[in-house]
């Protein structure tokens, strides 16, 4: 297996011209595309439709090229968008292709993708979701030929939350739920998916997990999970990134934990983990080797960073996730020289409270 | 002369408790306070009243201690606030005191303060303002004992813009104005004040300046000016910071130019200019030596940073100045370890377009 | 007793010039001022400091006139502010004075004011708060000479919520709380205060009330309560408005229930209840008789109004309370001809879910 | 000619299910659809992509039904979206169909559609645009069989503004422009299109118009024009609605002028102009007869409405157009009983300054 990636800029959520040009030039074979992960310029909230617009636009580009309907493209390729390009963050998509290749001398980036079955509302944010995600992570491990959990550096999971309709359905059947608050269910869903990753990677013990653990026992977490929940989904989709002895290509991934939203040392640690040692700011040669950064940003639960109060949590005009993404996105760019990184919000059971995962893919 | 400073955190715009505690403990003699520069947690726009609330609150604290009315405190002490604590920026005030002290062995931080006469509306944003500010800067130089303009590292100026009432007044007298747009007059006023600084410090030649230069010939600028305009003012107030051979104390100031809002190297250059060499992130010992940072943040006029598009200028929900402050404030904190820095917006004639000044005060 | 009122416009949260002019002209005797209720131009959220700025500004105006400190003015006069002047809503204050006068021929506007003792954290949002508010309402009834609850048309209550500090204090003492979520405690506090009003005015039966009722049994409510909760308070302040047979003056109050945020007929019903029949839009003569409107605005809990979906609850850029106030404020102004009305948010136990109270004071 | 319309609710910008259901039921023949005018739930600003998403979604629905590509659907059917559903405004689309029918006894709603040639950048916001729009309006009159300009009640025009690329193109050719500010060009473009309507309908005299008139001589205006400008267009599209003696069907249109954003009497006047007399709020029977409302909302240029200051123009958090739409949308709904009306912003040369057009289509 060989994973390649192309970062394409987007002038708008429906701007697919850079990928089209790469395909036209023969630089990307559309048949090899397996995943698209990117940032769109919406507000990142419930009324952010830029994510759906971007997905539809890429589906329409690829459908005739693949001889599929737009809907079938969506089933074939994993699309993961985070809305909100605050501060200097730049709208873009990272397009992943997977093709056959002989193993390289040292482990290289591998990408496994698996989906769970549809989940019942009463499983969302609970052990049902945890176990299904864990099983999907294990299928990804098998697919990538990774046997050592320590070789896994980033696991992106997206899955369902509880919509009003699904809550009503469950109640009609007499089923109990993690919560009856649709908005609040995001927390439980993201948390359960992260615990599923943690379970499969032996970061937590199964004996410590229960329905009541989710979104409460925050000392249990995965250091490599990045999860998101959306009302349009009924199952979970897992994208596992790690370095595999059976993979070829020239990419390698590493990760670190961000202590807070201004942890430039953490950014450098992620790069170093992937094999690139940056002293302060990446030199142009180093910047050219940084292929992609994926990170989570979160407001400090204490309202303080390095002892200083910030106003993220009390700001009624700008959501705290937007403040956090603006801060971290700028700090990452100040190290990598590239404002087009993937920074998203919501870190339940993804590193310890206040901390967040960051992964870096670099060219060997 | 000896300048001391205390950075006090603020839990709200009217929270003066930390300064009160310093006074109660004897750490600050209220009679020596000459200036307060800080960030408040408003939106930084026309309807940001947190600046006025903070000024009134400090005036009310100090009035009985100084035996003055609140209004008289405002005339005695220079208050400079920038609204908007986006990202990790932390509400705070830096309180400057000035007292007698013998000169140190090497130049130390000196602070000169001067005000201009009231300006007529037709002078705002034009050569009248330029010359009055330049004269005030020269008075500050004399006051601080600085003869070499290269020893000046930061000049904060605040002054009047054109309000609807002042525009009407001028028109009734048949006077022409830099602009008849109240909001647009900010640009002219900030620009003219910056050119006044540039003129006094020989950064531009007087022969190159004219009314038509302001806000247009952006190749003419000061690298150390930081200006702001407000409707409540009728004259300009200049605070000049430099290192003087006649000053004592243990503070030294330096400055640099930020290439853009993610220029961490520029932050380090400002610290180095003040005598503190930081490799990547300040060590705890180094962080303890960083007394204050003052910087300007601005959206890139091209809509791009390091070749990547950002969405600051097209975002209808969040003003571009808020995006820019969030980014730069986080980058500064990632270097200094302190989210309580002074980052404000609007850079007309303050460094080349897209660039911005940054000053650092460090303990020797 | 005779209640008079003056509505003064405010050009900024600290603009007290119109009240000052009324006092200077002799139109208002500052010694008779008992309450100030108004709208300020902040965002209405947790970081809206315009309310505190306005209170301080009026206190500083009145302190020398009353021979009191600013703080004492705040204890003597009830200040109630709602932040957020969305749509056409206009920043203003309605200043109430109370003086001696013989009863008029028919009942006239009376205003009773009472405060509760300080409440323990464990009482907030629970029966302790309900009973204390009910007792204060009864004291107001006695003060105003109103014996028939049907003569009460508007009861404004403000009181404490649970701050992080108060939550910590309670937990340290082993006390349980209505909720441990500071933000969420607003709902419980507003609800308990409204139920206190309902209890005192026989709108609900004491036997139906319990801790578990608050914020849950929404079929229990007051039709005349308007409550707000703030972190700066430790006790509750009640302002009761009704028509009393012992009152003089030329003002009369009435109220109605708004079916939703666009219920112009409800606005007209409130005016009619106060004795002013408006056909569609108030004529200039009628508009001159409308002294003040107080109303609550709320997003429909179903996300729908008159069968049409609105986007208040899913909007991540603008809080739903701001949408609701913008809508209702405009509808009220379209009937009364005056954009300066008092419209605030949060209707727990204040009318049935989705509905809201509105009161009108008119000149006889 | 017979014009029919269907108002379809939208649960999201890409929700076309209601129109699909109408087509599936046979209630709408897709071949007869000529125009779609609607509101989407974006922010209405430069980064509002909900309009494009909605257009694409309807194009994808109709393309297979019409045997056309999505792009060809966009050329065949006029799509006009206004972003921003503030207050109670409800996302929806009004779908217009045009079919053959004998004339009714009295004039009925007719709809003419015409496009101009592509405009050069130097024509945008100037007399070139004025004359081209005027010619297109005259073609619409001919198409609808309307000879009396007084029978025209609503003319929706959308056309190009000046993008950075088009400004650069013009400057490279040495051509001068109405303005070199892309954002500011909206004002000129909307104004020139409105003057084009005014010219064709004899609301202004051609001798009074010149390049310098646009966006300056605001005493020249159309009372029935509603114009919008977008960067994606290069020509203008005109939709003219009036009552024609040659039209059949059961719809009739009328219009009025709104004095301000809370002019409920103006709403009633528009309904009356279309033949429906509403006393205060529409009865259910009357509400059933109101087919559609189209209106413009604008902040008062004085910052005051009915003598009261509002904060629309100084609010740095919420754009003034959003405040204005929230207010007017609620006032319209308070009269018509329907929150799904079309309210958009920007009124240059569309009624006198501060005023705005409103049109009503009612069933006979």
């Amino acid at each position: 297996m060989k994973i390649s990636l192309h970062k394409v800029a987007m002038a708008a959520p429906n701007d697919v011209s850079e990928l089209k040009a790469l395909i036209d030039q023969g630089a990307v074979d559309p048949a090899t595309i397996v995943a698209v992960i990117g940032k769109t310029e919406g507000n990142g909230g419930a009324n952010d439709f830029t994510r759906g617009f971007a997905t539809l636009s890429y589906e329409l580009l690829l459908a005739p090229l693949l001889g599929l309907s737009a809907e079938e493209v969506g089933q074939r390729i994993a699309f993961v968008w985070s809305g909100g390009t605050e501060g200097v963050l730049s709208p873009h998509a990272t397009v992943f292709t997977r093709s056959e290749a002989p193993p390289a001398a040292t482990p290289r980036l591998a990408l496994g993708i698996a989906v769970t079955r549809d989940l019942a509302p009463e499983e969302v944010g609970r052990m049902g979701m945890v176990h299904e995600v864990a099983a999907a992570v294990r299928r990804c491990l098998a697919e990538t030929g990774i046997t050592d959990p320590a070789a896994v550096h980033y696991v992106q999971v997206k899955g369902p939350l509880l919509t009003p309709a699904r809550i009503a359905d469950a109640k009609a059947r007499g089923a109990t739920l993690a919560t009856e608050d649709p908005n609040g269910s995001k927390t439980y869903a993201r948390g359960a998916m992260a615990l599923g990753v943690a379970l499969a990677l032996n970061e937590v013990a199964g004996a410590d997990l229960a329905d009541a653990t989710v979104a409460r026992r925050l000392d249990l977490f995965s250091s490599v999970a990045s999860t998101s929940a959306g009302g349009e989904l009924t199952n979970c989709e897992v994208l596992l990134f790690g370095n595999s002895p059976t993979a070829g290509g020239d990419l390698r991934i590493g990760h670190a934990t961000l202590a807070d939203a201004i942890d430039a040392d953490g950014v450098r640690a992620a790069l170093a983990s992937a094999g690139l040692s940056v002293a302060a700011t990446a030199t142009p040669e180093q910047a050219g080797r940084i292929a992609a950064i994926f990170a989570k940003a979160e407001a400090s639960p204490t309202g303080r960073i390095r002892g200083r109060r910030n106003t993220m949590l009390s700001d009624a005009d700008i959501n705290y996730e937007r403040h956090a993404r603006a801060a971290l996105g700028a700090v990452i760019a100040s190290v990598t020289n590239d404002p087009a990184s993937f920074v998203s919000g919501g870190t339940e059971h993804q590193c310890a409270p206040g901390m967040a995962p960051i992964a870096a893919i670099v060219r060997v």
Side-chain angles (χ1 to χ4, degrees), chain A residues 19 21 92 94 115 131-132 136 139 145 162 169 209 232 246 269 304:
Chain A
L19 178 56
H92 73 281
T94 299
V115 297
H131 285 303
E132 286 297 319
R139 289 196 295 277
L162 292 171
D169 163 64
L209 301 183
E232 75 282 12
T246 65
R304 291 177 175 272

Side-chain angles (χ1 to χ4, degrees), chain A residues 263-283:
Chain A
D263 186 8
D265 289 337
V267 179
R268 286 183 281 262
L271 292 168
S273 161
L276 180 66
S277 175
V278 169
T281 300
T283 64

